[in-house]
Amino acid sequence: MRGGRLGRAVAIAAASVLVGALATGCGSAAHGGGSDHRADGAGGSDGKPSGRVSRAVKATESLAPDGTTVRVGSPQAKTVVHVYEDLRCPVCEDFETRGGGEALRDLVRSGQVRAEYTLASFLDDKLGGQGSEKAANALRAALEAGRFAEYHDVLFAHQPEESVDGYTDAFLLEMASRVKGLRGPEFDAAVKDMKYRGFVTASEKAFESSGATGTPTLKVDGKTVDGQLYNGIFDKNTLPMVIGALSGD
């Protein structure tokens, strides 16, 4: 953790978040349990992300050269937050819908941060079914249509119960209807036919080789958020400080 005022602020924030009991994230089949919890952002004086939201910039979407990492945000962003998620994981839903995800989206819109996503699907093997794989495939199809971020947020906002395997073709298409401009013959066929099965398989392998022990896992400029900082990712106010503590050299 960085020294100075920022480091002390993060330590205080992390301590306040940790007053409650620590929970466990969705453990991967390959690695076992992971840690869990549960910005018009002008930079601070040190140039690191703050929690405030500034002028929005155009957030582009693209697939990285590795063929599995989905990039959302300005290519010029100085900080990269890599998010590892399984769409069936309830702790990922917690992150995305209860503050942390909102703060990350604010920072992406401000241009300070680029978000990158690796979509795991280990919960299908662990719980049975194909929901994680189907959702990841549908998100890849949404990326092709330039609607990944919007669809990603809709799917987590309406996540079925983990044990239900509710990401069926019908459900995924129903949710896609909530994203303007996403539905169409090409997208619908990609969902029904698992067009991006190769991407789904490669993405799970990328997750397994990433060192992440569960979902959600966040890496800031290549540094894994763990220890006492981990619970800070679930709070809108502390996530920018956690990012600030780990970003840069």
Side-chain angles (χ1 to χ4, degrees):
M1 185 182 302
R2 294 178 179 275
R5 288 178 295 176
L6 178 60
R8 289 194 294 272
V10 172
I12 292 169
S16 67
V17 172
L18 290 168
V19 169
L22 287 172
T24 330
C26 299
S28 72
H31 300 287
S35 296
D36 154 22
H37 132 133
R38 286 221 67 2
D40 241 4
S45 60
D46 57 359
K48 300 301 186 293
S50 71
R52 299 186 301 277
V53 180
S54 66
R55 178 176 60 87
V57 299
K58 175 65 175 177
T60 61
E61 299 182 355
S62 64
L63 188 65
D66 63 14
T68 60
T69 301
V70 177
R71 295 171 168 171
V72 178
S74 170
Q76 284 74 47
K78 294 183 178 180
T79 299
V80 175
V81 177
H82 199 125
V83 184
Y84 297 83
E85 296 179 313
D86 188 308
L87 268 290
R88 289 177 72 176
C89 172
V91 189
C92 295
E93 184 269 343
D94 198 358
F95 167 73
E96 290 291 349
T97 65
R98 302 196 180 193
E102 179 184 354
L104 179 57
R105 289 187 287 274
D106 285 346
L107 291 169
V108 169
R109 284 191 290 266
S110 77
Q112 296 178 85
V113 169
R114 182 173 73 248
E116 298 188 344
Y117 297 88
T118 295
L119 304 176
S121 52
F122 61 85
L123 285 175
D124 286 349
D125 288 337
K126 188 174 182 180
L127 300 171
Q130 294 180 286
S132 295
E133 293 183 348
K134 284 180 175 291
N137 172 75
L139 278 167
R140 176 64 181 85
L143 175 65
E144 202 67 19
R147 297 290 189 275
F148 174 91
E150 295 172 76
Y151 191 44
H152 168 272
D153 295 347
V154 167
L155 291 184
F156 272 115
H158 299 87
Q159 184 191 65
E161 288 293 325
E162 180 184 21
S163 60
V164 172
D165 193 30
Y167 284 121
T168 62
D169 292 348
F171 180 82
L172 289 165
L173 293 175
E174 178 187 350
M175 291 299 104
S177 297
R178 303 181 182 222
V179 179
K180 185 177 180 180
L182 181 54
R183 288 292 302 273
E186 187 173 351
F187 174 84
D188 291 8
V191 170
K192 295 175 182 177
D193 299 338
M194 281 291 291
K195 177 179 179 179
Y196 298 103
R197 186 182 298 276
F199 164 82
V200 174
T201 300
S203 295
E204 170 59 21
K205 290 181 179 178
F207 167 74
E208 292 174 4
S209 63
S210 70
T213 57
T215 55
T217 290
L218 270 62
K219 293 184 179 181
V220 179
D221 292 339
K223 306 176 190 75
T224 301
V225 179
D226 55 14
Q228 288 190 329
L229 289 181
Y230 186 80
N231 268 26
I233 74 172
F234 295 89
D235 185 274
K236 181 178 181 179
N237 295 314
T238 57
L239 177 71
M241 289 188 288
V242 170
I243 294 173
L246 298 177
S247 63
D249 297 329

